[in-house]
Amino acid sequence: MLLPFIVLIGAMFLMTRSAKKKQQQAVEMRNQMQPGSGVRTIGGMYATVKEVGDETVLLEVAPGVHAVYAKNAIGAVLEDAEYNRIVHGDDETVVPDDASSLTEAAETADEADETGDTVKDAKADLTKKTDAGEGDKDGKADGGTEAK
């Protein structure tokens, strides 16, 4: 009879303990804000910190546009590289224009491994390949069904 209450109290203690840890980490993160650092608000807006007060933060949301926010409204303090990647689009990742370039690299690497040399300008073969006898197993066309 006493065991369920002990388990319930233990579960409540663990849940409040983890919530307090997350809250403490958020307070530490907000205290580490400095002018010039990039932040994301809890609303999802990216801005640069201009001034830090006791309870408020002055953010530059666009060039020449400043807004005062509560410190609690800061969701994350971002590293410079991440902030520049998100806001300014400074991204080294190259996104291909079509799907053929995605399969091309894998096929080229496979062919180079098999032959021992490199193959340039290999094109992906996206055509459907079927065996001659595969389509006429029971005399019906592809996908054809007939009630018996």
Side-chain angles (χ1 to χ4, degrees):
M1 178 87 173
L2 189 60
L3 185 63
F5 291 116
I6 293 173
V7 171
L8 182 63
I9 291 172
M12 290 174 51
F13 173 74
L14 290 175
M15 288 190 306
T16 57
R17 186 171 160 235
S18 68
K20 283 183 182 180
K21 278 187 178 180
K22 287 181 184 178
Q23 216 172 27
Q24 187 65 26
Q25 287 174 346
V27 168
E28 288 176 16
M29 178 261 316
R30 290 180 184 121
N31 288 336
Q32 292 176 355
M33 278 189 300
Q34 298 176 0
S37 59
V39 295
R40 182 183 67 236
T41 66
I42 58 174
M45 183 178 64
Y46 293 91
T48 305
V49 177
K50 288 298 178 183
E51 293 178 17
V52 180
D54 292 336
E55 296 292 321
T56 60
V57 179
L58 179 66
L59 300 179
E60 184 177 33
V61 295
V65 179
H66 297 89
V68 178
Y69 280 82
K71 271 190 175 180
N72 293 339
I74 304 301
V77 177
L78 306 172
E79 295 179 13
D80 289 338
E82 183 180 5
Y83 180 77
N84 288 332
R85 180 183 61 81
I86 294 170
V87 175
H88 302 298
D90 297 345
D91 194 9
E92 294 85 30
T93 308
V94 177
V95 178
D97 291 337
D98 59 352
S100 65
S101 62
L102 296 175
T103 59
E104 182 177 311
E107 287 179 1
T108 305
D110 289 343
E111 290 174 5
D113 288 342
E114 291 173 5
T115 61
D117 58 343
T118 58
V119 178
K120 293 184 180 180
D121 298 330
K123 296 289 181 185
D125 185 14
L126 301 176
T127 59
K128 184 176 180 181
K129 296 179 183 176
T130 59
D131 293 335
E134 192 175 312
D136 281 342
K137 289 181 183 174
D138 56 354
K140 298 178 186 140
D142 236 4
T145 60
E146 203 171 297
K148 292 184 180 180

